[in-house]
Amino acid sequence: MAFTPEDGTGIATANSFIDLDAADAYHNDRGNAAWAAVVGETSLTVLGGDPDATADTFSFLAAHSLATGQRVTLTTSAADLPSGLQVGVFYYVIVMTATAIRLATTRAFALAGTQIGFDEATGTGTHTVKIQSEKEGALVRATSYLDLVYGDSWIGEKADDANPLSWPRVNAYLWPRGDSVPSENALDAQVPGAIKNACAEIALRLAAGTDLLPDSSAGVVSSQSITLPGMSRSVVYAEPGALPNMPIVDRLLAPYVRAPEVYRR
């Protein structure tokens, strides 16, 4: 799966409000060991077992479905990877073609197209590119949850209706606590840090198997009788089920929605 975090510029293929590095840092800072335990991976075997050292390129037999900037690690069936590459180190994809990628040492370098070189003369065996697909999937689903539940309530307006996500926005002014007028600085061309952190919190719950929007979400079943001259009718209905109680998420998002007291009703 292509994993593309929004960077505030309105990426046409964006599917997450936060990248893996930032999500890891958020949970690490708070001692959330459960996030570190989310280890599900997808593997791509390098064609022929070895990279193409001339072009510093990894080639695959089939389409890799990766995105530039996506974080990966490397493994090998032998003792060593080619010189210049290491097992267990994070690298970042530079997409060359549907079946070929290069690697960079940081996400910023990947986005700039600055690749890492390696020496194929060293290292043997079958090399594999590992994608942290379980974490990525949780962040993508968390982003979808945020857009579905809060998307109509965010302050401001979407910067471009063609953008796949509800952030970045324009004319999004915060109302500082105790002030009667909004901040002078609009939250344009960005995804606010609190929304990124909320995405990380929701992803943690999704990775643990919590279904935040189950298909069967009806609340209390109620009935009402209506009596009019010559007619009597009873109606039975189910009140909408409440959204899950996530106080941390609520507090993080409260400044960014138009009506904090009602937005989760």
Side-chain angles (χ1 to χ4, degrees):
M1 175 187 75
F3 178 72
T4 307
E6 176 57 61
D7 63 2
T9 62
I11 301 173
T13 57
N15 56 7
S16 176
F17 284 136
I18 186 172
D19 62 58
L20 270 178
D21 288 341
D24 283 355
Y26 174 85
H27 288 300
N28 289 341
D29 288 347
R30 289 154 182 81
N32 293 337
W35 182 251
V38 180
V39 295
E41 294 180 321
T42 301
S43 299
L44 296 173
T45 301
V46 176
L47 187 63
D50 288 316
D52 177 355
T54 302
D56 299 328
T57 301
F58 287 80
S59 296
F60 309 98
L61 182 62
H64 51 69
S65 299
L66 299 173
T68 293
Q70 193 161 351
R71 193 176 81 182
V72 298
T73 57
L74 305 175
T75 61
T76 182
S77 63
D80 297 300
L81 288 165
S83 179
L85 302 175
Q86 299 179 59
V87 172
V89 171
F90 290 136
Y91 295 103
Y92 300 81
V93 169
I94 303 171
V95 172
M96 304 305 297
T97 69
T99 57
I101 64 171
R102 291 175 178 170
L103 297 175
T105 54
T106 67
R107 177 172 163 77
F109 282 156
L111 297 176
T114 305
Q115 76 222 41
I116 187 172
F118 49 81
D119 181 6
E120 192 182 30
T122 59
T124 58
T126 299
H127 308 313
T128 304
V129 175
K130 298 274 190 178
I131 304 104
Q132 292 180 288
S133 51
E134 188 176 5
K135 283 184 175 179
E136 290 178 347
L139 292 171
V140 169
R141 297 196 306 277
T143 299
S144 296
Y145 177 89
L146 284 168
D147 267 355
L148 179 63
V149 174
Y150 302 93
D152 292 335
S153 299
W154 298 128
I155 55 177
E157 302 88 37
K158 282 185 69 172
D160 187 338
D161 285 339
N163 291 345
L165 304 181
S166 57
W167 290 85
R169 302 179 74 76
V170 294
N171 301 319
Y173 294 92
L174 288 179
W175 288 73
R177 183 172 297 177
D179 286 2
S180 58
V181 296
S183 167
E184 294 181 357
N185 299 317
L187 300 170
D188 293 349
Q190 63 176 285
V191 177
I195 292 175
K196 294 180 180 182
N197 293 344
C199 188
E201 285 284 352
I202 294 168
L204 178 64
R205 290 154 176 78
L206 290 169
T210 303
D211 190 349
L212 300 181
L213 288 174
D215 289 338
S216 178
S217 59
V220 177
V221 176
S222 303
S223 63
Q224 182 178 17
S225 296
I226 302 173
T227 302
L228 296 173
M231 181 183 69
S232 178
R233 166 175 266 180
S234 294
V235 179
V236 178
Y237 57 91
E239 298 176 356
L243 292 171
N245 185 24
M246 294 184 286
I248 293 176
V249 172
D250 288 347
R251 289 182 177 276
L252 285 168
L253 298 182
Y256 301 92
V257 294
R258 285 191 289 267
E261 73 280 2
V262 298
Y263 68 87
R264 296 190 71 238
R265 300 293 186 263

